[in-house]
Amino acid sequence: PDKGELPEEGVHFVSTHIDRLRSDVVVTRYRIPLVHKFVRANNIDRVLIDAPKRKLGIVTAGKATQDVMQALTKLGINTERAKALGISVYQVGCVWPLEPEGLKDFAKGHEELLFVEEKREVVQPQATSILYGSVDAPRISGKQDDQGKFLLPEDIQLTQSEVALAVFQRMLRAEMVDEDLKTRADIIRAEQAF
């Protein structure tokens, strides 16, 4: 991608003990925007499922991506059913700095974004900052739901069942659930009880 205008000394590492202010300027004005351009140009963040009528968008990264896809399968939701229900999935390949344009494009039209991340949130706070104040910004949930109630653990590794139940809970909130999904969620809860 086009690098745009760069400082004369370049954007490479400068010891912060030599000129801290200059280092900060180079990072925020030049290096981070270059990372964003690189991520966009190389399709590092990508849409895995794109529902035509968007309701629930799931944003995930790393190992949690597999957990999400397996959780959907556990709920009986394949790609075609996800699209029909209004579920989209966005895989973040570069978790910091989060590329804003791809996220904004994905968020458009969704009623809610569910962030599924392993352990502590890295993507969700950045996304919240990027989307805050946007017209028709979706509700955001992740480790907690939109009411502040526990949804996904941040201190242990996620399981497919936990992710499936979190997705189910958000679908229930959005009135996207049928009897088959309720039955599958009951089976998952029963499995977890052991």
Side-chain angles (χ1 to χ4, degrees):
D2 176 35
K3 292 181 182 177
E5 192 174 320
L6 300 176
E8 283 182 31
E9 69 275 16
V11 293
H12 302 291
F13 179 74
V14 176
S15 290
T16 54
H17 70 280
I18 295 173
D19 188 351
R20 286 179 189 221
L21 180 60
R22 185 70 191 142
S23 290
D24 209 28
V25 167
V26 168
V27 167
T28 46
R29 292 187 189 175
Y30 301 105
R31 291 179 87 180
I32 290 176
L34 284 172
V35 172
H36 291 161
K37 286 180 182 181
F38 181 84
V39 169
R40 274 193 308 273
N42 292 287
N43 200 29
I44 292 173
D45 298 345
R46 59 182 197 241
V47 178
L48 301 180
I49 301 174
D50 193 7
K53 188 173 189 299
R54 297 173 161 191
K55 285 189 174 187
L56 177 65
I58 303 172
V59 181
T60 185
K63 174 209 173 274
T65 303
Q66 286 298 32
D67 293 334
V68 165
M69 300 311 284
Q70 290 169 353
L72 291 174
T73 300
K74 237 178 174 176
L75 289 168
I77 301 171
N78 60 18
T79 301
E80 289 71 35
R81 184 145 189 241
K83 288 179 180 180
L85 288 167
I87 298 173
S88 302
V89 179
Y90 186 66
Q91 181 183 22
V92 176
C94 179
V95 297
W96 195 92
L98 183 60
E99 194 282 304
E101 298 310 313
L103 177 75
K104 287 177 185 176
D105 288 345
F106 178 75
K108 282 180 192 163
H110 284 104
E111 295 172 14
E112 179 171 348
L113 294 183
L114 170 62
F115 288 81
V116 180
E117 300 181 74
E118 199 62 50
K119 302 271 182 140
R120 302 255 191 265
E121 307 109 324
V122 175
V123 176
Q124 183 180 341
Q126 295 175 81
T128 302
S129 176
I130 290 166
L131 298 172
Y132 180 78
S134 300
V135 176
D136 297 325
R139 283 186 311 277
I140 291 183
S141 58
K143 300 298 178 188
Q144 299 176 341
D145 66 16
D146 57 328
Q147 303 299 311
K149 294 179 185 165
F150 173 81
L151 191 58
L152 289 168
E154 64 177 58
D155 53 353
I156 59 173
Q157 187 171 335
L158 294 175
T159 67
Q160 301 165 20
S161 295
E162 288 168 330
V163 174
L165 292 174
V167 170
F168 174 78
Q169 194 240 33
R170 302 322 297 159
M171 290 177 70
L172 199 58
R173 161 84 163 75
E175 300 176 352
M176 302 165 62
V177 174
D178 60 16
E179 287 305 313
D180 179 56
L181 280 165
K182 287 179 184 175
T183 302
R184 287 176 183 268
D186 288 341
I187 291 168
I188 294 167
R189 281 191 203 98
E191 289 171 356
Q192 279 192 309
F194 283 106

